[in-house]
Short mmCIF file of all heavy atoms in Angstrom, two decimals:
data_model
loop_
_atom_site.label_atom_id
_atom_site.label_comp_id
_atom_site.label_asym_id
_atom_site.label_seq_id
_atom_site.Cartn_x
_atom_site.Cartn_y
_atom_site.Cartn_z
N GLN Q 385 -19.76 -1.02 35.24
CA GLN Q 385 -20.13 0.13 36.08
C GLN Q 385 -21.55 -0.20 36.58
O GLN Q 385 -22.33 -0.78 36.00
CB GLN Q 385 -20.35 1.43 35.17
CG GLN Q 385 -20.89 2.59 35.88
CD GLN Q 385 -21.00 3.66 34.84
OE1 GLN Q 385 -21.57 3.35 33.81
NE2 GLN Q 385 -20.69 4.91 35.14
N SER Q 386 -21.64 0.03 38.02
CA SER Q 386 -22.98 -0.40 38.57
C SER Q 386 -23.50 0.80 39.36
O SER Q 386 -22.77 1.72 39.86
CB SER Q 386 -22.75 -1.37 39.62
OG SER Q 386 -22.19 -2.58 38.82
N VAL Q 387 -24.81 0.73 39.64
CA VAL Q 387 -25.51 1.69 40.44
C VAL Q 387 -26.41 1.02 41.32
O VAL Q 387 -27.08 0.10 40.89
CB VAL Q 387 -26.18 2.66 39.55
CG1 VAL Q 387 -27.16 3.53 40.37
CG2 VAL Q 387 -25.19 3.68 38.96
N VAL Q 388 -26.49 1.31 42.52
CA VAL Q 388 -27.49 0.84 43.39
C VAL Q 388 -28.52 1.88 43.76
O VAL Q 388 -28.15 2.88 44.15
CB VAL Q 388 -26.98 0.24 44.84
CG1 VAL Q 388 -27.95 -0.36 45.71
CG2 VAL Q 388 -25.84 -0.64 44.54
N CYS Q 389 -29.77 1.56 43.28
CA CYS Q 389 -30.75 2.64 43.51
C CYS Q 389 -31.97 2.06 44.26
O CYS Q 389 -32.25 0.85 44.32
CB CYS Q 389 -31.15 3.20 42.08
SG CYS Q 389 -32.03 2.03 41.15
N CYS Q 390 -32.65 3.11 44.68
CA CYS Q 390 -33.81 2.62 45.65
C CYS Q 390 -35.04 3.35 44.90
O CYS Q 390 -35.13 4.62 44.71
CB CYS Q 390 -33.64 3.28 46.85
SG CYS Q 390 -35.06 2.95 48.03
N TYR Q 391 -35.97 2.49 44.51
CA TYR Q 391 -37.30 3.00 43.86
C TYR Q 391 -38.08 3.73 44.75
O TYR Q 391 -37.84 3.59 45.97
CB TYR Q 391 -38.09 1.91 43.33
CG TYR Q 391 -37.66 1.31 41.99
CD1 TYR Q 391 -36.36 1.06 41.80
CD2 TYR Q 391 -38.61 1.01 41.00
CE1 TYR Q 391 -35.95 0.52 40.56
CE2 TYR Q 391 -38.23 0.47 39.77
CZ TYR Q 391 -36.94 0.21 39.62
OH TYR Q 391 -36.50 -0.27 38.39
N PRO Q 392 -38.94 4.72 44.50
CA PRO Q 392 -39.67 5.35 45.36
C PRO Q 392 -40.55 4.37 46.10
O PRO Q 392 -40.92 4.63 47.44
CB PRO Q 392 -40.75 6.17 44.58
CG PRO Q 392 -40.00 6.40 43.12
CD PRO Q 392 -39.12 5.18 42.96
N ASP Q 393 -40.95 3.17 45.71
CA ASP Q 393 -41.59 2.27 46.53
C ASP Q 393 -40.65 1.39 47.47
O ASP Q 393 -41.16 0.43 47.98
CB ASP Q 393 -42.47 1.39 45.67
CG ASP Q 393 -41.62 0.59 44.67
OD1 ASP Q 393 -40.41 0.63 44.65
OD2 ASP Q 393 -42.24 -0.14 43.81
N GLY Q 394 -39.51 1.79 47.44
CA GLY Q 394 -38.54 0.99 48.37
C GLY Q 394 -37.78 -0.22 47.79
O GLY Q 394 -37.00 -0.80 48.49
N ARG Q 395 -38.16 -0.53 46.57
CA ARG Q 395 -37.50 -1.53 45.86
C ARG Q 395 -35.87 -1.20 45.78
O ARG Q 395 -35.62 -0.09 45.24
CB ARG Q 395 -38.03 -1.82 44.48
CG ARG Q 395 -37.44 -3.01 43.83
CD ARG Q 395 -38.13 -3.09 42.46
NE ARG Q 395 -37.40 -4.06 41.60
CZ ARG Q 395 -37.31 -4.01 40.25
NH1 ARG Q 395 -37.96 -3.05 39.76
NH2 ARG Q 395 -36.70 -4.89 39.67
N LEU Q 396 -35.02 -2.16 46.08
CA LEU Q 396 -33.61 -1.86 45.91
C LEU Q 396 -33.12 -2.64 44.80
O LEU Q 396 -33.22 -3.96 44.70
CB LEU Q 396 -32.84 -2.38 47.23
CG LEU Q 396 -32.88 -1.49 48.38
CD1 LEU Q 396 -32.17 -2.20 49.56
CD2 LEU Q 396 -32.03 -0.20 48.09
N VAL Q 397 -32.52 -2.00 43.78
CA VAL Q 397 -31.94 -2.72 42.56
C VAL Q 397 -30.49 -2.20 42.40
O VAL Q 397 -30.21 -1.13 42.52
CB VAL Q 397 -32.97 -2.38 41.33
CG1 VAL Q 397 -32.38 -3.18 40.24
CG2 VAL Q 397 -34.30 -2.66 41.66
N LEU Q 398 -29.73 -3.27 41.92
CA LEU Q 398 -28.45 -3.01 41.29
C LEU Q 398 -28.46 -3.09 39.81
O LEU Q 398 -28.87 -4.05 39.29
CB LEU Q 398 -27.43 -3.87 41.94
CG LEU Q 398 -26.05 -3.76 41.42
CD1 LEU Q 398 -25.05 -3.22 42.18
CD2 LEU Q 398 -25.53 -5.17 40.75
N TYR Q 399 -28.15 -1.89 39.07
CA TYR Q 399 -28.18 -2.04 37.82
C TYR Q 399 -26.59 -2.03 37.28
O TYR Q 399 -25.92 -1.36 37.89
CB TYR Q 399 -28.70 -0.79 37.02
CG TYR Q 399 -30.27 -0.85 37.10
CD1 TYR Q 399 -31.09 -0.06 37.90
CD2 TYR Q 399 -30.90 -1.85 36.28
CE1 TYR Q 399 -32.42 -0.12 37.92
CE2 TYR Q 399 -32.25 -1.97 36.24
CZ TYR Q 399 -32.98 -1.04 37.12
OH TYR Q 399 -34.50 -1.07 37.13
N CYS Q 400 -26.34 -2.73 36.44
CA CYS Q 400 -24.87 -3.02 36.04
C CYS Q 400 -24.82 -3.00 34.48
O CYS Q 400 -25.62 -3.77 33.80
CB CYS Q 400 -24.32 -4.38 36.54
SG CYS Q 400 -22.61 -4.56 36.14
N LYS Q 401 -23.78 -2.29 33.99
CA LYS Q 401 -23.59 -2.44 32.49
C LYS Q 401 -22.11 -2.59 32.37
O LYS Q 401 -21.16 -2.15 33.12
CB LYS Q 401 -24.19 -1.37 31.73
CG LYS Q 401 -23.37 -0.13 32.03
CD LYS Q 401 -24.05 0.99 31.07
CE LYS Q 401 -23.19 2.28 31.22
NZ LYS Q 401 -23.82 3.42 30.81
N GLY Q 402 -21.59 -3.43 31.35
CA GLY Q 402 -20.20 -3.61 31.10
C GLY Q 402 -19.92 -4.56 29.98
O GLY Q 402 -20.77 -4.94 29.20
N ALA Q 403 -18.58 -4.84 29.92
CA ALA Q 403 -18.11 -5.70 28.89
C ALA Q 403 -18.70 -7.18 28.90
O ALA Q 403 -19.02 -7.58 30.09
CB ALA Q 403 -16.64 -5.81 28.77
N ASP Q 404 -19.11 -7.77 27.85
CA ASP Q 404 -19.74 -9.07 27.93
C ASP Q 404 -18.91 -10.05 28.83
O ASP Q 404 -19.59 -10.72 29.66
CB ASP Q 404 -19.97 -9.57 26.60
CG ASP Q 404 -18.60 -9.53 25.66
OD1 ASP Q 404 -17.63 -8.97 26.17
OD2 ASP Q 404 -18.66 -10.03 24.56
N SER Q 405 -17.62 -10.04 28.61
CA SER Q 405 -16.84 -11.11 29.30
C SER Q 405 -17.14 -10.96 30.94
O SER Q 405 -17.33 -11.88 31.59
CB SER Q 405 -15.46 -10.94 29.06
OG SER Q 405 -14.87 -9.61 29.27
N VAL Q 406 -17.00 -9.64 31.48
CA VAL Q 406 -17.15 -9.51 32.85
C VAL Q 406 -18.61 -9.81 33.31
O VAL Q 406 -18.72 -10.18 34.40
CB VAL Q 406 -16.56 -8.18 33.36
CG1 VAL Q 406 -15.17 -7.97 33.13
CG2 VAL Q 406 -17.27 -6.96 32.57
N ILE Q 407 -19.50 -9.32 32.41
CA ILE Q 407 -20.88 -9.52 33.00
C ILE Q 407 -21.29 -10.94 33.03
O ILE Q 407 -21.91 -11.51 33.92
CB ILE Q 407 -21.87 -8.75 32.04
CG1 ILE Q 407 -21.57 -7.24 32.06
CG2 ILE Q 407 -23.25 -9.10 32.45
CD1 ILE Q 407 -22.00 -6.47 33.33
N TYR Q 408 -20.79 -11.62 32.02
CA TYR Q 408 -21.25 -13.18 31.89
C TYR Q 408 -20.59 -13.97 33.13
O TYR Q 408 -21.31 -14.91 33.64
CB TYR Q 408 -20.82 -13.73 30.57
CG TYR Q 408 -21.75 -13.73 29.62
CD1 TYR Q 408 -22.26 -12.64 29.00
CD2 TYR Q 408 -22.56 -14.90 29.26
CE1 TYR Q 408 -23.26 -12.48 28.05
CE2 TYR Q 408 -23.59 -14.93 28.31
CZ TYR Q 408 -23.94 -13.63 27.66
OH TYR Q 408 -24.93 -13.57 26.70
N GLU Q 409 -19.48 -13.56 33.59
CA GLU Q 409 -18.91 -14.24 34.71
C GLU Q 409 -19.72 -14.09 35.93
O GLU Q 409 -19.67 -14.83 36.91
CB GLU Q 409 -17.40 -13.62 34.96
CG GLU Q 409 -16.27 -14.03 34.07
CD GLU Q 409 -15.06 -13.16 34.29
OE1 GLU Q 409 -15.15 -12.54 35.25
OE2 GLU Q 409 -14.20 -13.48 33.43
N ARG Q 410 -20.54 -12.91 36.09
CA ARG Q 410 -21.27 -12.67 37.28
C ARG Q 410 -22.66 -12.90 37.17
O ARG Q 410 -23.42 -12.34 38.02
CB ARG Q 410 -20.88 -11.18 37.56
CG ARG Q 410 -19.51 -11.02 38.02
CD ARG Q 410 -19.00 -9.60 38.07
NE ARG Q 410 -17.63 -9.50 38.44
CZ ARG Q 410 -16.59 -9.74 37.71
NH1 ARG Q 410 -16.78 -9.94 36.46
NH2 ARG Q 410 -15.39 -9.71 38.23
N LEU Q 411 -23.13 -13.59 36.22
CA LEU Q 411 -24.67 -13.96 36.13
C LEU Q 411 -25.04 -14.96 36.98
O LEU Q 411 -24.18 -15.86 37.40
CB LEU Q 411 -24.89 -14.22 34.64
CG LEU Q 411 -24.77 -13.00 33.61
CD1 LEU Q 411 -25.24 -13.65 32.19
CD2 LEU Q 411 -25.60 -11.91 33.89
N ALA Q 412 -26.22 -14.88 37.44
CA ALA Q 412 -26.85 -15.97 38.30
C ALA Q 412 -26.96 -17.12 37.45
O ALA Q 412 -27.05 -17.16 36.07
CB ALA Q 412 -28.20 -15.47 38.88
N ASP Q 413 -27.06 -18.20 38.08
CA ASP Q 413 -27.29 -19.52 37.26
C ASP Q 413 -28.65 -19.71 36.68
O ASP Q 413 -29.60 -18.84 37.05
CB ASP Q 413 -27.05 -20.75 38.20
CG ASP Q 413 -25.61 -20.88 38.57
OD1 ASP Q 413 -24.72 -20.42 37.84
OD2 ASP Q 413 -25.28 -21.57 39.56
N GLY Q 414 -28.85 -20.48 35.64
CA GLY Q 414 -30.00 -20.62 35.00
C GLY Q 414 -30.28 -19.63 33.96
O GLY Q 414 -29.51 -18.89 33.54
N ASN Q 415 -31.45 -19.90 33.29
CA ASN Q 415 -31.93 -19.11 32.14
C ASN Q 415 -30.78 -19.02 30.96
O ASN Q 415 -30.39 -18.16 30.45
CB ASN Q 415 -32.16 -17.63 32.48
CG ASN Q 415 -33.21 -17.11 31.60
OD1 ASN Q 415 -33.52 -17.65 30.56
ND2 ASN Q 415 -33.68 -15.82 31.92
N ASN Q 416 -30.31 -20.28 30.68
CA ASN Q 416 -29.20 -20.46 29.87
C ASN Q 416 -29.57 -20.09 28.39
O ASN Q 416 -28.78 -19.72 27.55
CB ASN Q 416 -28.51 -21.77 29.81
CG ASN Q 416 -27.77 -22.06 31.16
OD1 ASN Q 416 -27.24 -21.06 31.69
ND2 ASN Q 416 -27.66 -23.26 31.68
N ASP Q 417 -30.83 -20.33 28.04
CA ASP Q 417 -31.29 -20.03 26.70
C ASP Q 417 -31.01 -18.50 26.41
O ASP Q 417 -30.45 -18.18 25.32
CB ASP Q 417 -32.82 -20.28 26.58
CG ASP Q 417 -33.06 -21.75 26.15
OD1 ASP Q 417 -31.98 -22.38 26.06
OD2 ASP Q 417 -34.21 -22.04 26.18
N LEU Q 418 -31.55 -17.70 27.42
CA LEU Q 418 -31.25 -16.31 27.15
C LEU Q 418 -29.87 -15.99 27.02
O LEU Q 418 -29.39 -15.21 26.05
CB LEU Q 418 -31.87 -15.44 28.21
CG LEU Q 418 -31.70 -14.03 28.42
CD1 LEU Q 418 -32.30 -13.44 27.12
CD2 LEU Q 418 -32.20 -13.28 29.58
N LYS Q 419 -29.02 -16.54 27.89
CA LYS Q 419 -27.50 -16.18 27.76
C LYS Q 419 -27.03 -16.57 26.45
O LYS Q 419 -26.21 -15.86 25.86
CB LYS Q 419 -26.73 -17.05 28.84
CG LYS Q 419 -26.98 -16.40 30.27
CD LYS Q 419 -26.08 -17.27 31.31
CE LYS Q 419 -26.55 -17.07 32.63
NZ LYS Q 419 -25.93 -18.04 33.49
N ARG Q 420 -27.47 -17.70 25.94
CA ARG Q 420 -26.87 -18.17 24.70
C ARG Q 420 -27.40 -17.32 23.52
O ARG Q 420 -26.54 -16.93 22.71
CB ARG Q 420 -27.25 -19.75 24.44
CG ARG Q 420 -26.40 -20.45 23.55
CD ARG Q 420 -26.77 -21.79 23.22
NE ARG Q 420 -28.21 -21.78 22.69
CZ ARG Q 420 -29.27 -22.25 23.24
NH1 ARG Q 420 -29.15 -22.87 24.45
NH2 ARG Q 420 -30.41 -22.27 22.63
N THR Q 421 -28.70 -17.07 23.46
CA THR Q 421 -29.05 -16.14 22.42
C THR Q 421 -28.39 -14.81 22.46
O THR Q 421 -28.00 -14.25 21.46
CB THR Q 421 -30.61 -16.03 22.47
OG1 THR Q 421 -31.14 -15.97 23.72
CG2 THR Q 421 -31.39 -16.85 21.46
N THR Q 422 -28.28 -14.28 23.65
CA THR Q 422 -27.75 -12.86 23.83
C THR Q 422 -26.21 -13.10 23.40
O THR Q 422 -25.87 -12.15 22.63
CB THR Q 422 -27.88 -12.42 25.23
OG1 THR Q 422 -29.21 -12.58 25.68
CG2 THR Q 422 -27.31 -11.02 25.40
N ARG Q 423 -25.60 -14.28 23.71
CA ARG Q 423 -24.19 -14.29 23.23
C ARG Q 423 -24.22 -14.28 21.70
O ARG Q 423 -23.15 -13.70 21.14
CB ARG Q 423 -23.68 -15.67 23.84
CG ARG Q 423 -22.42 -16.14 23.33
CD ARG Q 423 -21.19 -15.50 23.77
NE ARG Q 423 -20.77 -15.92 25.12
CZ ARG Q 423 -19.69 -15.40 25.69
NH1 ARG Q 423 -18.94 -14.41 25.23
NH2 ARG Q 423 -19.36 -15.73 26.93
N GLU Q 424 -25.09 -14.96 21.17
CA GLU Q 424 -25.20 -15.10 19.70
C GLU Q 424 -25.29 -13.63 19.12
O GLU Q 424 -24.60 -13.20 18.24
CB GLU Q 424 -26.29 -15.91 19.13
CG GLU Q 424 -25.92 -17.39 19.15
CD GLU Q 424 -27.16 -18.18 18.85
OE1 GLU Q 424 -28.16 -17.61 18.46
OE2 GLU Q 424 -27.19 -19.55 19.33
#
Side-chain angles (χ1 to χ4, degrees):
Chain Q
Q385 178 185 42
S386 303
V387 163
V388 182
C389 68
C390 179
Y391 278 45
D393 61 3
R395 183 186 168 208
L396 280 174
V397 186
L398 171 109
Y399 285 111
C400 180
K401 68 178 185 197
D404 49 356
S405 54
V406 288
I407 299 289
Y408 266 72
E409 283 170 9
R410 289 169 179 78
L411 290 182
D413 290 338
N415 209 351
N416 283 333
D417 273 357
L418 176 61
K419 287 185 199 167
R420 209 185 51 246
T421 30
T422 309
R423 168 79 78 181
E424 279 167 17

